[in-house]
Amino acid sequence: MFGVLYAGAVLLALLRDTSPLLFTIGSGMRPDLVLLVVVYISLFWGSERAVMLGFAAGLCQDTLSSEVLGLQALSKSVVAFVVQALCKNVQVQSLIAQVLFTGLAIIVDTAVRYVVLMVFQLQALDVRMVFSTMFQQLLISVVLAPVVYRSLQLLVTKGRIRQEKGQRHGTL
């Protein structure tokens, strides 16, 4: 049942990301909903499952975009690893913790993508544009994250999907 929930959430996020109606808005003004789903899985489900699902979601995002194949897959799996590693002793039900981990995820995702592009010299980067885009995505994603996380959590409770929390969810 978890696979159906995850596949549906990623599919909806990908459909929203590739919607032709939203291309009129600049790319920095669109939140990365796939990243928000990956952060949700990392926060509330944890373990190596988050890294594998982050890679799969990023690969799906790569196939639908015109970027380098594997770039989003790498960045999403690194984000999943970092978030799930850092949230081990944090009460993830807290809205403040969710917002902070979402902000961290945006920063890590952007940093990984641009470091890979710089290392392979695939794109000339303007630092001001990178920070401007990252700041815009940070603001939009931090505002939308609680809504996305609550919606996914509601689907989990309505679908009676058992979360495998294990030992990693303590309190700070």
Side-chain angles (χ1 to χ4, degrees), residues 48-61:
E48 61 276 350
R49 178 187 284 182
V51 177
M52 292 186 306
L53 294 175
F55 181 82
L59 198 57
C60 290
Q61 199 172 18

Side-chain angles (χ1 to χ4, degrees), residues 17 27 30-36 38-39 54-55 57-59 61-62 67 70-83 101-117 125 130 133-134 137-138 141:
D17 282 348
S27 62
R30 289 187 288 161
D32 189 354
L33 290 180
V34 175
L35 180 67
L36 293 179
V38 169
V39 171
F55 181 82
L59 198 57
Q61 199 172 18
D62 279 333
E67 288 187 0
L71 186 61
Q72 292 286 347
L74 175 67
S75 70
K76 298 296 186 279
S77 58
V78 169
V79 163
F81 175 76
V82 168
V83 169
F101 280 113
T102 301
L104 175 69
I106 297 291
I107 292 168
V108 169
D109 183 61
T110 304
V112 167
R113 281 190 288 126
Y114 285 111
V115 164
V116 169
L117 288 174
L125 301 175
V130 170
T133 303
M134 183 177 68
Q137 283 193 357
L138 190 65
S141 295

Side-chain angles (χ1 to χ4, degrees), residues 1 8 24 48 54 57 65-66 73 85 101 130 141 167:
M1 191 66 172
T24 57
E48 61 276 350
S65 72
S66 60
F101 280 113
V130 170
S141 295
Q167 295 281 333

Side-chain angles (χ1 to χ4, degrees), residues 5-172:
L5 171 74
Y6 181 74
V10 169
L11 182 65
L12 285 174
L14 287 171
L15 286 173
R16 206 270 332 141
D17 282 348
T18 59
S19 173
L21 296 174
L22 298 173
F23 283 121
T24 57
I25 302 173
S27 62
M29 294 303 290
R30 289 187 288 161
D32 189 354
L33 290 180
V34 175
L35 180 67
L36 293 179
V37 172
V38 169
V39 171
Y40 171 79
I41 298 299
S42 299
L43 286 174
F44 293 100
W45 293 79
S47 75
E48 61 276 350
R49 178 187 284 182
V51 177
M52 292 186 306
L53 294 175
F55 181 82
L59 198 57
C60 290
Q61 199 172 18
D62 279 333
T63 59
L64 295 174
S65 72
S66 60
E67 288 187 0
V68 178
L69 186 63
L71 186 61
Q72 292 286 347
L74 175 67
S75 70
K76 298 296 186 279
S77 58
V78 169
V79 163
F81 175 76
V82 168
V83 169
Q84 78 100 21
L86 292 178
C87 76
K88 286 183 180 178
N89 295 322
V90 175
Q91 181 62 283
V92 295
Q93 299 294 336
S94 166
L95 182 64
I96 295 171
Q98 293 172 8
V99 168
L100 288 174
F101 280 113
T102 301
L104 175 69
I106 297 291
I107 292 168
V108 169
D109 183 61
T110 304
V112 167
R113 281 190 288 126
Y114 285 111
V115 164
V116 169
L117 288 174
M118 283 178 15
V119 166
F120 291 112
Q121 298 176 350
L122 297 173
Q123 198 174 32
L125 301 175
D126 180 22
V127 176
R128 287 184 290 145
M129 186 186 80
V130 170
F131 282 117
S132 171
T133 303
M134 183 177 68
F135 184 71
Q136 290 172 359
Q137 283 193 357
L138 190 65
L139 286 177
I140 292 172
S141 295
V142 163
V143 169
L144 284 179
V147 174
V148 171
Y149 300 156
R150 293 270 182 217
S151 300
L152 289 172
Q153 195 65 29
L154 184 64
L155 287 174
V156 166
T157 55
K158 291 270 187 194
R160 296 188 179 131
I161 301 171
R162 192 183 67 150
Q163 289 181 326
E164 301 167 7
K165 293 182 181 180
Q167 295 281 333
R168 58 177 221 79
H169 288 283
T171 58
L172 185 63

